[in-house]
Amino acid sequence: ALEPGRVAARGVSTTGSVAVANAPGPAGQVTAVSAGSAVVSATDRATGISGQTTVTATAANVTLQFITIFPQSDSYLALGYTLQYTALGGYSDGTSQDLTQTVTWTVSNAADAAISNRPGSVGLLTPLAVGGTLVVATDPTSAVSANVVLHITPAALTSVAITPETATIPNGLAQPFTATGTFSDGSSGDVTSTVTWEVVSGSAKISNATGKSGVATSKGVGLSTISGTDRDTGLSATATLQVTGALLVSIGISPPS
């Protein structure tokens, strides 16, 4: 009996479930390609004398040797996002197979993450809290398993908005702008002091000083465009400031009475 991939005999022709080499060097090498029996014959070219034998190929006992999870260890995921895991099985005959749908998915820290075994979302991980967990894939038949490390980070900034979007002030006065960030978990927060403020066009000035971030001052009549840009992500937003003529704020009479 011969398992697929093993040499059993030598010859020059084959039938059935084996392949035989005729090339110089490996001539006569028989390799099983599927389970079953085959007749292998050898014929002398000069005399026509031949002989034959029967070779039986048996099914190999293929076993799952290991599982590889993708993405692999030390992945990072921000709150508000999800991550799809896949599992690839490696077998004793050198083949591999996608096991994503057939393994059982678990996490070591259920307080920080949850992973699905439901049809349609198998292997989909949802972060629950900042921290970390092992993601484990286990073959239910052989108990072969693998795990990878996942780090869960705070929610990521996804957009920036500036208020007011448009403002009008008399020349010589100041206008405070506020930047609000929206994050991957759906939350929002004031990022006025963490964005970089800039006058994209126009004559206005805007401050990045502590305690005065986002405060624009006029330096002449006209329209200015203001931007606020997150330093880490590069996300930004813009607003416009219209400066009009100076406004009368007081009257003095001289000489005084």
Side-chain angles (χ1 to χ4, degrees):
L2 173 68
E3 292 186 356
R6 300 293 298 276
V7 174
R10 291 183 178 274
V12 294
S13 62
T14 64
T15 60
S17 59
V18 299
V20 65
N22 286 286
Q29 268 192 174
V30 177
T31 303
V33 294
S34 64
S37 296
V39 175
V40 178
S41 65
T43 303
D44 180 67
R45 297 183 181 91
T47 65
I49 297 173
S50 67
Q52 66 181 37
T53 187
T54 299
V55 175
T56 300
T58 60
N61 183 24
V62 179
T63 58
L64 179 64
Q65 299 295 296
F66 61 87
I67 295 173
T68 303
I69 298 174
F70 299 95
Q72 296 184 321
S73 276
D74 288 326
S75 296
Y76 288 82
L77 182 65
L79 288 173
Y81 292 120
T82 58
L83 182 59
Q84 178 65 55
Y85 280 94
T86 58
L88 186 68
Y91 290 84
S92 55
D93 64 350
T95 62
S96 60
Q97 183 177 341
D98 186 347
L99 301 180
T100 304
Q101 302 297 317
T102 58
V103 296
T104 299
W105 294 95
T106 56
V107 292
S108 63
N109 187 354
D112 286 354
I115 193 165
S116 175
N117 286 288
R118 296 188 302 272
S121 62
V122 175
L124 185 66
L125 183 139
T126 302
L128 304 176
V130 174
T133 186
L134 289 177
V135 178
V136 184
T138 304
D139 175 59
T141 302
S142 64
V144 173
S145 67
N147 65 77
V148 293
V149 176
L150 173 68
H151 305 280
I152 301 171
T153 60
L157 183 68
T158 57
S159 66
V160 175
I162 296 176
T163 53
E165 291 185 18
T166 60
T168 301
I169 60 172
N171 192 21
L173 298 184
Q175 171 65 51
F177 287 93
T178 300
T180 302
T182 300
F183 296 86
S184 56
D185 62 354
S187 64
S188 60
D190 189 337
V191 293
T192 303
S193 62
T194 59
V195 298
T196 298
W197 293 96
E198 182 182 5
V199 177
V200 179
S201 63
S203 60
K205 302 295 182 183
I206 193 162
S207 176
N208 285 288
T210 302
K212 294 184 179 180
S213 291
V215 177
T217 53
S218 57
K219 295 295 182 181
V221 174
L223 183 68
S224 294
T225 300
I226 307 295
S227 72
T229 304
D230 177 66
R231 300 179 184 115
D232 294 327
T233 64
L235 293 170
S236 65
T238 60
T240 57
L241 177 64
Q242 179 68 57
V243 179
T244 61
L247 179 68
L248 179 65
V249 294
S250 65
I251 298 176
I253 298 176
S254 61
S257 56

